[in-house]
Amino acid sequence: MVLLVFFIIITIGLVIYGTYQAGQIKQSIREAFDRDAVVIALRVSFLPEVTCSENNVVEENCFDIEKIRAFKSEMVNGANDDMFLFYVGDLKKSKISVKQLFPLPVENQVTELYNNIPPENERAEQHEIIPTFIPISLKDPTRRAGKEYAFGVLTVEVYKEG
Amino acid sequence: MRKEMNKLANKRTSKRGQMEIMGLAVVVILVIVGITLLIRFSLTPAKQTKEKFEAGQLPETIITALAQSTTDCQEQSMANLIEDCGAFGGTIQCEPGKNSCQYTQESINGVLDELLERMLKYKYKVILKKGGREDFNPEDLNDPAKIYLDSGCDESMMDIESASQPLPNNVEIELRICKGRIG
């Protein structure tokens, strides 16, 4: 009798433990996705191709509007395939964009720097896009010193399958 | 003789029954210990790398970037307008009927609404300080010479991350972000 009860309890315990472990594994996978998204966001925010610098001194959390324009013209719409391929290894399947929030620009536009997220019809059935938002300063070096900053947000969206 | 044998058999059966009950008790204790451990581990908060990364330096980054940005109010920086509001009660006129305090309050509210509430789903509070002390009372809510924003940040319920930007004339602007997610 004791053995029977014992085995029933053990079976229930194993089922509960299995369910709990499945949840834990899902959470670990999600955690790994999140970590990847953060790594890509960090890479982008320190990309020397777009960050502000004055006499080789890098300004933290600041993107240069002129550099962004030059970068965008080469990267988006397959303008420069070699350059695009150079960044694919680091930026993976992500979309990176910059939006000015203050002062509000005349056209409320989002500047896309890089986009390697598959189009809707090519995405896996089970997929997720994880966005990360980083507030930044946007510097327009063509304006007078002290009057060249705006406030914006850098958005890094990472595409994950499964 | 037979009676004595029956007595002995009954004694053995009841002893075995006691042993079974003892065994069951041990199993139940083990199960309770197991469930307690499971609940304890499952209630340990999971590490949320992305949330930590986003919220960790958020107030500092926002307040620094916002303070140095150039406004369309006489091309003054946001820091200058906040300082004018805090130190002199809003002497700079940005638009007819809108001084530096009103302009700053409206602009900061717009930016934080978009960035914190819509994108990141955080609540926030912005407080202007003079000489290190909060320059605001509940009756100042519509005072055009003060800056105070609160999107529903319940500081007793939520985790707070804050940063402040010191400005000339002993003025300071503080941003508090309430990390309890909404929505």
Side-chain angles (χ1 to χ4, degrees), chain A residues 101-156:
Chain A
L101 295 180
F102 181 81
L104 277 177
V106 187
E107 285 173 47
N108 192 16
Q109 61 180 26
V110 177
T111 310
E112 201 177 275
L113 292 179
Y114 170 90
N115 189 355
N116 193 25
I117 290 184
E120 290 267 1
N121 55 343
E122 288 173 27
R123 288 180 196 169
E125 212 170 278
Q126 291 250 314
H127 75 272
E128 202 178 349
I129 293 174
I130 307 164
T132 307
F133 304 100
I134 304 167
I136 49 166
S137 283
L138 291 168
K139 185 182 182 182
D140 184 353
T142 58
R143 296 189 68 185
R144 262 190 304 144
K147 311 277 180 201
E148 70 267 57
Y149 292 99
F151 181 83
V153 62
L154 167 74
T155 309
V156 181

Side-chain angles (χ1 to χ4, degrees), chain A residues 1-2 5-6 9-10 16-17 20 24 27 30-31 34-35 37-38 41-42 45 59-62 99 101-104 130-137 143-144 146-153 155, chain B residues 19-21 23-24 27-28 30-31 35 38 41-42 45-51 53-54 57-58 61-66 68-72 74-78 80 103 107 111 114-115 119-120:
Chain A
M1 184 64 184
V2 174
V5 173
F6 178 76
I9 289 171
I10 288 286
I16 293 172
Y17 184 72
Y20 170 73
Q24 287 290 98
Q27 204 174 323
R30 170 74 211 205
E31 184 68 20
D34 278 359
R35 218 174 300 129
V38 170
L42 276 173
S45 56
E59 289 176 51
E60 235 179 271
N61 287 315
C62 175
K99 186 182 178 188
L101 295 180
F102 181 81
L104 277 177
I130 307 164
T132 307
F133 304 100
I134 304 167
I136 49 166
S137 283
R143 296 189 68 185
R144 262 190 304 144
K147 311 277 180 201
E148 70 267 57
Y149 292 99
F151 181 83
V153 62
T155 309
Chain B
M19 288 283 278
E20 282 201 0
I21 289 167
L24 258 176
V27 168
V28 169
L30 280 176
V31 167
I35 289 173
L38 193 76
F41 283 120
S42 65
K47 285 181 254 159
Q48 286 162 319
T49 318
K50 192 170 155 285
E51 207 168 302
F53 168 74
E54 273 182 341
Q57 294 190 328
L58 201 60
T61 323
I62 293 176
I63 206 89
T64 315
L66 205 53
Q68 73 173 352
S69 58
T70 311
T71 65
D72 42 22
Q74 300 184 24
E75 283 212 313
Q76 295 285 332
S77 70
M78 186 66 93
N80 280 354
Y103 177 89
S107 308
V111 170
E114 169 93 19
L115 178 66
M119 294 181 179
L120 289 158

Side-chain angles (χ1 to χ4, degrees), chain B residues 78-144:
Chain B
M78 186 66 93
N80 280 354
L81 294 180
I82 296 168
E83 183 206 335
D84 175 66
C85 177
F88 312 111
T91 54
I92 300 174
Q93 281 298 315
C94 296
E95 287 164 36
K98 200 184 267 182
N99 66 11
S100 55
C101 301
Q102 292 159 308
Y103 177 89
T104 315
Q105 175 143 331
E106 204 181 288
S107 308
I108 297 177
N109 194 29
V111 170
L112 298 184
D113 249 8
E114 169 93 19
L115 178 66
L116 293 178
E117 284 232 48
R118 263 179 241 149
M119 294 181 179
L120 289 158
K121 314 261 187 257
Y122 290 138
K123 296 282 187 190
Y124 61 87
K125 213 173 212 181
V126 177
I127 298 151
L128 189 67
K129 286 180 169 177
K130 252 191 212 167
R133 285 162 65 186
E134 220 169 279
D135 180 36
F136 190 81
N137 295 308
E139 59 268 24
D140 300 334
L141 200 60
N142 294 313
D143 191 336

